[in-house]
Amino acid sequence: MFIQVTKEEFSTEILKKAWHQTNIIVFTIALLYPLLCVVDYLYVPALWLQFFIVRLVISLAIYALHGLFQRKQYDYRLLLHISLLLISITSAALCSLVNISQLSLYFLLYSLIILFFNLQVFWEPVNSIIQALVAFLLILICYKAFSHYDLNLFISKGGQFFALTTALSCLIPNAQYRITERYIHSRILIEKSTELFKEQRHDLNEKDKLIDLQYEQLRKLNEHKNSFINIAGHDLKNLTGSIIMSSVLIQEENYRLSTEQKEYINYITESADKMQYLLSKLVNVKEIDSNEISFNLEIFDINTEVNQVVKGLNETALTKNINLVNNISNRPLHVRLDKVFAGQVFQNLLSNAIKFSQLNNTLLVTTSLQAQKFVFEIIDEGVAIGQHELDWMFDKLKTLNDASTSKESRLGLGLSIAKLMTKEMGGELSYRSNADGNYFRVEFFAMN
């Protein structure tokens, strides 16, 4: 955006600068001009008191005029002209009244006053020229009225120095005025640019916050989606394995259907139903895009569900000569959970316990009711997996390298899923691995 300085803005800043310089001149004169009576006392003792009074009156008059001009908002140039005129009348009179031996000193003082004035004043150069001409005129008038010295002597005793200093000092306001104008113009541009930059930065910060918020939402959504896909993929793998195992068993006994076979067929049907449920979750775009997994909560006997899980994994345990000791309570214990996901929590924990257990081991599976909570426990008194590795597997949804001599692949994903699902359904999962073996515990609130 192209930034422009309006005439009103420029005029306002110019006026502020002019009054700032005017204040310096007025206050300096009001404080210091009466002190020049010390010079009068030393060199013109006969007139020092009269001129002290005149200097004091002029200082007070200038100070009073300054207050009046500010209240009435009059032009500061007129105040400066009046102030310098009053000082010029006094100084010109002194130059004409003093002894010829002190004339150079008073011309020097008068020159310094005009030089100071032109160094500090901020106005158009023509005003300084006018004041210089007025000063020369007052010098001439006072000389004609009060001096009895020859004009050449009057000029040679400081008059030429005063004229040269006054003429040269008139050049200062011209350069100062132009430089200050450019400085004020540049300062206004910088201030407006800074304000524009602040506004743009504020807008950018607001947009950044919005982008960060949207990014965080997208990141959480993506994490949730990835976690859900991992969960569904892993569980579908387990369920597919169950179907394959049951199908193989049926094929081995295809010449007859016994009660056991019917049981296997029922198990196949149940696994297929679970797989269909998980698949429906996986392809449900609306659910994946939400911030939370929506569970199909229902009331069921959780001990029965654990029994089915243990029964389904018994064949897997037998392939490693692992003895699954079933200490599941026969008492019906109802909970309000997602039956499929709750079953997957128990299946993941038990299947991983079987995977990580050494051959010819014993795993104790037990359930109980403690402090109005259903408690599921797996106790393995064999070789410890290692607390550090368990922490890793429970906290990471990623493949782990094999850290032992076991031929089992240590995928850790099932444990991560179990921990996530337990937490999502309001439960608590804990574990430990030490010299006493491995221990897993899941707690859910019970309804009875």
Side-chain angles (χ1 to χ4, degrees), residues 93 112 210 266 269 296 320 328 348 377 386 393 404 424 433 441:
L112 291 176
L210 180 60
N266 291 334
T269 303
N296 183 23
K320 294 181 65 174
I328 300 171
N348 288 354
E377 297 172 291
M393 289 188 289
S404 69
E424 290 292 327
S433 181
R441 179 186 179 99

Side-chain angles (χ1 to χ4, degrees), residues 282-295:
L282 184 62
V283 299
N284 191 336
V285 177
K286 183 181 294 185
E287 184 173 43
I288 293 174
D289 288 339
S290 64
N291 290 328
E292 296 180 357
I293 299 174
S294 63
F295 295 107

Side-chain angles (χ1 to χ4, degrees), residues 115 118-119 125 128-129 132 164-178:
L115 180 61
N118 285 325
L119 285 173
S128 293
I129 295 174
L164 181 62
T165 303
T166 301
L168 292 177
S169 67
C170 289
L171 301 176
I172 298 175
N174 180 49
Q176 183 169 269
Y177 190 82
R178 294 180 182 276

Side-chain angles (χ1 to χ4, degrees), residues 24-235:
I24 294 176
I25 295 172
V26 169
F27 293 141
T28 302
I29 291 173
L31 291 174
L32 299 181
Y33 191 63
L35 297 180
L36 293 179
C37 66
V38 176
V39 178
D40 299 335
Y41 179 79
L42 294 176
Y43 294 98
V44 193
L47 299 174
W48 82 271
L49 184 58
Q50 294 90 323
F51 277 96
F52 169 72
I53 295 173
V54 172
R55 292 181 191 276
L56 184 60
V57 170
I58 289 176
S59 297
L60 294 175
I62 292 174
Y63 185 80
L65 287 172
H66 173 264
L68 176 64
F69 272 62
Q70 281 200 325
R71 285 195 304 272
K72 300 294 185 179
Q73 297 183 350
Y74 293 152
D75 191 350
Y76 72 96
R77 298 175 185 83
L78 181 58
L79 173 63
L80 292 174
H81 279 297
I82 294 174
S83 300
L84 191 56
L85 177 62
L86 294 175
I87 294 173
S88 295
I89 292 173
T90 307
S91 299
L94 270 171
C95 290
S96 300
L97 292 173
V98 297
N99 191 281
I100 194 67
S101 59
Q102 285 85 38
L103 186 58
S104 298
L105 174 63
Y106 279 86
F107 268 127
L108 176 62
L109 289 177
Y110 193 9
S111 300
L112 291 176
I113 291 173
I114 293 179
L115 180 61
F116 164 78
F117 198 92
N118 285 325
L119 285 173
Q120 295 296 326
V121 75
F122 179 73
W123 61 7
E124 295 78 5
V126 66
N127 293 284
S128 293
I129 295 174
I130 293 173
Q131 284 297 327
L133 295 176
V134 170
F136 292 144
L137 181 61
L138 289 173
I139 287 288
L140 182 60
I141 293 173
C142 290
Y143 170 78
K144 292 293 185 179
F146 305 114
S147 180
H148 55 278
Y149 301 111
D150 182 71
L151 181 61
N152 291 330
L153 183 63
F154 186 82
I155 293 174
S156 64
K157 287 297 183 177
Q160 78 279 24
F161 175 79
F162 169 77
L164 181 62
T165 303
T166 301
L168 292 177
S169 67
C170 289
L171 301 176
I172 298 175
N174 180 49
Q176 183 169 269
Y177 190 82
R178 294 180 182 276
I179 292 173
T180 305
E181 274 189 325
R182 288 196 294 269
Y183 166 76
I184 291 175
H185 188 271
S186 300
R187 191 186 68 187
I188 295 174
L189 285 176
I190 292 173
E191 289 176 352
K192 295 182 74 172
S193 300
T194 303
E195 289 299 320
L196 180 61
F197 172 76
K198 288 181 179 179
E199 293 176 1
Q200 292 176 342
R201 186 175 64 178
H202 180 267
D203 292 338
L204 288 175
N205 289 338
E206 292 298 321
K207 291 179 181 178
D208 286 342
K209 290 179 181 178
L210 180 60
I211 292 173
D212 290 340
L213 179 62
Q214 293 176 340
Y215 171 79
E216 185 64 20
Q217 292 174 345
L218 290 174
R219 185 186 65 80
K220 289 181 178 179
L221 179 62
N222 187 60
E223 288 180 355
H224 176 74
K225 192 179 295 184
N226 291 338
S227 298
F228 186 84
I229 291 173
N230 286 330
I231 292 167
H234 183 270
D235 289 338

